[in-house]
């Protein structure tokens, strides 16, 4: 089945890293985000990728540009969410927010705690700006996938955060995001579900 039956979606992927943005090492955040989302989302995706240093004003400016000018429906950041002095991604994200969505950060830390005790040091946030959902993700590619996908085979299963993203995007006026259930089973109440194409 072709994906021309699905709404097009524009996704911003932002990797925040002093060293990768300076070319000191290869960025792994943007490829990890694109790889997971490319498997999970059935809609045709237009990507808007940004690789920027750990600087508050640069991060805030990139988020404003992706939302206000590039009209992204969803923006995911990776990196810069810890307690170190240069970790300012959550602060810059909150600076551009219309609404804060604390449940995303709570669940991301809950998932990561299954793997590392230091998950409580993460300051990831999610916000709504206009009609766009912006989510801070961890910096490690393995953690990005775990956070988005959850731990569906655990007993009891641990929900990944992406299961709630499509319905959130619906509620704020974005396109209908359809997921490949083999990767991520999105949750919507029955009244919000479209028939499967």
């Amino acid at each position: 089945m072709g994906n021309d039956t699905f709404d097009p979606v524009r996704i911003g992927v932002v990797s925040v890293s002093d060293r990768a943005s300076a070319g000191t090492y290869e960025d792994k955040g943007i490829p990890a985000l694109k790889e997971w989302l490319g498997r999970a989302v059935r809609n045709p995706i237009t990507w808007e990728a940004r690789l920027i240093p750990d600087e508050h004003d640069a991060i805030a400016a990139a988020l404003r540009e992706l939302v206000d000018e590039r009209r992204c429906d969803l923006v995911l950041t990776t990196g810069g969410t810890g307690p170190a002095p240069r970790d300012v991604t959550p602060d810059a994200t909150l600076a551009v927010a219309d609404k804060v969505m604390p449940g995303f950060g709570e669940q991301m830390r809950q998932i990561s705690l299954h793997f590392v005790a230091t998950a409580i040091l993460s300051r990831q946030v999610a916000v709504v700006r206009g009609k766009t959902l912006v989510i801070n993700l961890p910096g490690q590619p393995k953690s990005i996938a775990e956070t988005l996908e959850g731990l569906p085979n655990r007993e009891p299963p641990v929900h990944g955060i992406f299961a709630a993203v499509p319905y959130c995007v619906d509620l704020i006026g974005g396109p209908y995001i359809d997921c490949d259930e083999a990767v991520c089973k999105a949750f919507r109440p029955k009244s919000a579900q479209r028939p499967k194409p």
Side-chain angles (χ1 to χ4, degrees), residues 140-161:
Q140 296 300 319
K142 181 174 176 287
S143 302
I144 290 170
E146 288 163 354
T147 301
L148 291 168
E149 204 162 311
L151 308 166
N153 300 322
R154 280 276 167 105
E155 204 44 63
V158 180
H159 294 291
I161 63 156

Side-chain angles (χ1 to χ4, degrees), residues 23-42:
T24 307
Y25 69 76
E26 180 189 2
D27 173 60
K28 294 198 167 57
I30 290 170
L33 290 169
K34 285 185 172 182
E35 191 277 329
W36 193 89
L37 290 163
R39 286 189 297 116
V41 174
R42 298 172 72 195

Side-chain angles (χ1 to χ4, degrees), residues 153-171:
N153 300 322
R154 280 276 167 105
E155 204 44 63
V158 180
H159 294 291
I161 63 156
F162 205 82
V165 167
Y167 186 49
C168 183
V169 172
D170 292 352
L171 291 171

Side-chain angles (χ1 to χ4, degrees), residues 6-179:
F6 301 107
D7 294 350
V9 62
R10 184 176 291 269
I11 300 179
V13 286
V14 180
S15 186
V16 180
S17 167
D18 284 334
R19 289 177 293 172
S21 64
T24 307
Y25 69 76
E26 180 189 2
D27 173 60
K28 294 198 167 57
I30 290 170
L33 290 169
K34 285 185 172 182
E35 191 277 329
W36 193 89
L37 290 163
R39 286 189 297 116
V41 174
R42 298 172 72 195
N43 308 57
I45 299 171
T46 300
W47 299 103
E48 294 283 349
R50 303 289 184 273
L51 177 56
I52 52 179
D54 291 279
E55 289 169 9
H56 184 284
D57 293 348
I59 299 165
L63 295 177
R64 281 193 296 268
E65 182 224 350
L66 290 169
V67 174
D68 303 350
E69 295 168 35
R70 303 307 300 162
R71 300 280 180 228
C72 289
D73 305 300
L74 173 65
V75 176
L76 299 178
T77 73
T78 175
T81 59
R86 294 290 292 171
D87 290 334
V88 293
T89 303
D91 313 274
T93 303
L94 291 169
V96 303
D98 292 331
K99 292 180 179 168
V100 180
M101 303 294 294
F104 284 100
E106 292 163 7
Q107 185 63 5
M108 284 188 270
R109 284 179 281 278
Q110 191 60 47
I111 293 166
S112 295
L113 276 167
H114 286 272
F115 299 98
V116 288
T118 52
I120 57 173
L121 303 180
S122 170
R123 301 185 306 118
Q124 289 140 280
V125 299
V127 305
V128 173
R129 178 179 175 87
K131 292 183 176 182
T132 306
L133 177 61
V134 180
I135 306 173
N136 301 156
L137 291 167
Q140 296 300 319
K142 181 174 176 287
S143 302
I144 290 170
E146 288 163 354
T147 301
L148 291 168
E149 204 162 311
L151 308 166
N153 300 322
R154 280 276 167 105
E155 204 44 63
V158 180
H159 294 291
I161 63 156
F162 205 82
V165 167
Y167 186 49
C168 183
V169 172
D170 292 352
L171 291 171
I172 61 177
Y176 190 94
I177 296 174
D178 209 294
C179 290

